[in-house]
Amino acid sequence: MGRWRIVRGAAPPNAIAFLGHPARSAAPPEADILRQGNTRATLRVPGLGIVKLLHRVGSREKLAALGAPSVLAREYDLTEAAIARGVPAPRPILCAERRSLGLLREAAIVLEVIPDAASLQHLIETNFPAPGRRRRPHGDVRRALTSFGRALARLHGAGGVHGDPSPDNVLVTEDGRVVLIDWPFALFAGETTADRRALTRRAAKRYHTTPAHVAAALNGYGRDGFASDPFRTLCADDLMKAAAAQIQFGTPTREIRAFLRAYCRQLGFGRAEERQTIERVAAAYTPILRSSARRTIRNADRDSRRTASIRERRTVLCYRRGAPLDAVAEALETETPRFERRERDDAAGTWRNACALARFSLPARIHAACRFDGRSGRGTLLLERPAEPFEPITSPCPVRLAGFVRQLHAFGFRFVFCSDATLVEQPPSLGPFTFRQGYGYVLDDAGAVEYAPEKPTEASAGAVAGWLRGKGGAGAAAAFLERVNRRLRFHV
């Protein structure tokens, strides 16, 4: 089946021994799993470094790598290109491939460990936690986002684009230094590689443009630098992805504004150009988020980066990656302190909604797993128990409730019904709560909404207003409707 061969860098003595370990994709005892997907895994291996494994190669990737470098070999080259341009990135140590008759079977890249670093995603999620989780301030989020904005601007100013500048691809050290990781989708003007044509085609697909436009952008930078219009369109796409990803992880808009301003000022934009840039980014949020929501719903019962599935004869078990499978299996049979069990006629649909709500860090109960009948969709849901019990809503505040509902509307969700079992409130001890955290209100029943961004919001608002009328009277319902029907944009 072919042996491992070093194609980039030099191998430490223990590298090939680790790659030859029969259980490496299942995480040998000495390795810590950082990310686990259907085809890839990222591990921290003591004495070796950060190891990214491509342990399952699809037919398309095999063809693309026939007579050409693998995607991880390209990542090695692109990471070196970033470092050469003064962009902070982890030093690549080696890249190895295992081929049979020229066909790629597996690949691995080893990178240095950045000491005392946490991902920007971790900083955001601990400072602005999901419902039911206790806030654990860790680092200065605004300072980290400002540093990220400057680093991305330096990359663009040096003739490069990252391709996936998400908070989970940004490391922040204890002293506030930012390091960008995961470079397989990057592009650099002036780089000459044997598979430049293939890279251009892949980039065109990722940036939703044509290979000719990508080529013009990279060539244009060589002539005009950052002033080249085609190159700036690629940079604008990079910037929009970075801002949209921050929204998906629950970042308040004031923090995103700090990121965008740092980016613009690093590039020397004037006030008018800064304002235009921020407005263009805000206008691009909606299509990016809708595409992400539809993809999340479609993949909710499949193996993906965020969820895994086990299909049996008649049932399907779906669970969130990171949830312990043994604890999930136990909780599906009996009540446990860790998870709450719920039986639902439409468990499959509720699970899909819950996955999409979690994708955007919206104020909704966190679902860990679902087992449902493959034909009827009926089954059992497992919900994560909160740090402190949620409270029933006894005296709803129309203003706060309107902000909560407007946020769900902005992300494309519409209420189908609303009752006392639909919404709950977080205990004040877990606050204070931001707008992105629903001002403390939480959607307890993910089956009460549907993802229907094309539908008008009036019926959805009316469903909540009808419940509010019964709880707080006609005046409360009127005050709610006055505020909830205002148009909401992602102002930054």
Side-chain angles (χ1 to χ4, degrees):
M1 292 295 290
R3 295 182 178 181
W4 284 98
R5 187 171 66 89
I6 306 299
V7 295
R8 301 285 192 280
N14 57 340
I16 296 298
F18 171 78
L19 293 174
H21 194 290
R24 66 189 174 280
S25 61
E30 72 273 16
D32 295 326
I33 299 178
L34 302 180
R35 295 182 187 177
Q36 179 71 52
N38 192 35
T39 61
R40 302 173 187 231
T42 303
L43 315 172
R44 182 190 288 111
V45 182
L48 184 57
I50 302 298
V51 181
K52 295 176 67 174
L53 287 166
L54 178 62
H55 54 77
R56 184 179 298 174
V57 184
S59 300
R60 185 176 299 176
E61 181 61 34
K62 285 179 182 177
L63 290 174
L66 190 61
S70 67
V71 64
L72 293 186
R74 285 197 297 269
E75 181 174 356
Y76 185 102
D77 296 338
L78 292 166
T79 306
E80 283 200 324
I83 294 172
R85 285 164 172 76
V87 179
R91 181 178 60 87
I93 298 171
L94 71 92
C95 178
E97 297 175 353
R98 192 173 66 81
R99 294 177 182 256
S100 178
L101 300 176
L103 292 175
L104 184 68
R105 300 295 182 183
E106 292 181 281
I109 184 173
V110 181
L111 303 114
E112 69 172 339
V113 175
I114 305 299
D116 302 320
S119 73
L120 181 56
Q121 174 189 352
H122 177 72
L123 265 64
I124 293 169
E125 291 178 343
T126 54
N127 281 273
F128 309 104
R133 294 182 178 174
R134 197 175 300 280
R135 184 172 183 263
R136 303 187 309 277
H138 178 75
D140 188 333
V141 175
R142 182 169 297 186
R143 179 187 176 194
L145 285 167
T146 300
S147 298
F148 176 31
R150 288 196 291 261
L152 191 63
R154 287 198 299 272
L155 169 64
H156 293 171
V161 288
H162 186 278
D164 189 17
S166 174
D168 56 344
N169 289 332
V170 180
L171 299 181
V172 184
T173 63
E174 286 188 348
D175 60 0
R177 186 170 59 94
V178 160
V179 179
L180 306 185
I181 63 174
D182 274 15
W183 292 88
F185 305 111
L187 288 172
F188 289 97
E191 282 295 305
T192 56
T193 61
D195 59 340
R196 178 65 178 268
R197 184 173 298 178
L199 281 175
T200 302
R201 287 197 302 268
R202 287 168 65 98
K205 185 176 180 181
R206 185 165 188 83
Y207 288 89
H208 306 289
T209 184
T210 64
H213 184 272
V214 173
L218 298 180
N219 295 333
Y221 179 86
R223 293 190 306 270
D224 305 321
F226 189 76
S228 164
D229 286 339
F231 181 75
R232 292 187 72 163
T233 61
L234 294 185
C235 295
D237 186 276
D238 226 23
L239 184 63
M240 290 170 188
K241 287 177 180 175
Q246 290 171 42
I247 282 186
Q248 290 173 332
F249 285 114
T251 314
T253 53
R254 65 179 181 275
E255 312 298 338
I256 301 175
R257 186 185 303 118
F259 159 77
L260 291 171
R261 285 180 172 169
Y263 173 89
C264 293
R265 291 170 186 177
Q266 178 69 30
L267 289 171
F269 290 180
R271 288 290 182 89
E273 191 173 9
E274 177 182 313
R275 185 168 57 252
Q276 290 172 0
T277 299
I278 292 175
E279 287 175 354
R280 281 197 300 268
V281 169
Y285 286 161
T286 298
I288 293 174
L289 297 177
R290 288 188 180 182
S291 174
S292 179
R294 292 189 174 99
R295 185 168 58 252
T296 300
I297 291 170
R298 185 173 62 250
N299 293 333
D301 59 350
R302 305 176 186 178
D303 285 337
S304 67
R305 181 175 169 180
R306 294 178 178 82
T307 59
S309 64
I310 300 174
R311 298 180 182 273
E312 299 176 347
R313 186 171 183 179
R314 288 196 57 181
T315 62
V316 180
L317 170 61
C318 307
Y319 60 96
R320 179 168 45 84
R321 290 197 184 275
L325 189 55
D326 53 349
V328 165
E330 180 186 1
L332 284 167
E333 303 302 328
T334 183
E335 288 287 349
T336 65
R338 185 165 186 173
F339 299 113
E340 174 187 343
R341 296 173 70 243
R342 290 184 181 177
E343 304 294 330
R344 287 288 187 271
D345 288 338
D346 186 21
T350 303
W351 167 256
R352 294 186 182 99
N353 285 348
C355 288
L357 291 160
R359 179 69 185 94
F360 298 137
S361 301
L362 290 172
R365 289 292 301 273
I366 301 170
H367 289 58
C370 175
R371 184 173 62 191
F372 60 90
D373 184 283
R375 295 179 181 176
S376 67
R378 185 182 298 112
T380 305
L381 295 160
L382 291 186
L383 282 71
E384 186 179 287
R385 291 191 187 276
E388 295 182 30
F390 291 118
E391 301 173 354
I393 301 176
T394 54
S395 301
C397 171
V399 176
R400 287 169 50 213
L401 186 62
F404 165 79
V405 174
R406 287 174 72 219
Q407 185 179 173
L408 293 183
H409 286 173
F411 280 88
F413 291 92
R414 305 289 184 260
F415 279 86
V416 180
F417 61 85
C418 187
S419 68
D420 285 344
T422 302
L423 306 175
V424 290
E425 201 166 3
Q426 296 203 71
S429 58
L430 296 182
F433 305 107
T434 65
F435 167 69
R436 279 307 314 271
Q437 295 168 296
Y439 295 123
Y441 289 127
V442 179
L443 181 65
D444 191 55
D445 181 3
V449 298
E450 62 176 343
Y451 183 72
E454 294 80 12
K455 281 190 176 182
T457 60
E458 284 75 15
S460 173
V464 180
W467 167 78
L468 181 58
R469 191 174 293 108
K471 298 288 289 185
F480 166 80
L481 287 172
E482 180 184 354
R483 289 167 174 79
V484 78
N485 287 326
R486 295 174 182 171
R487 184 167 179 262
L488 176 65
R489 291 183 64 240
F490 292 104
H491 290 291
V492 290

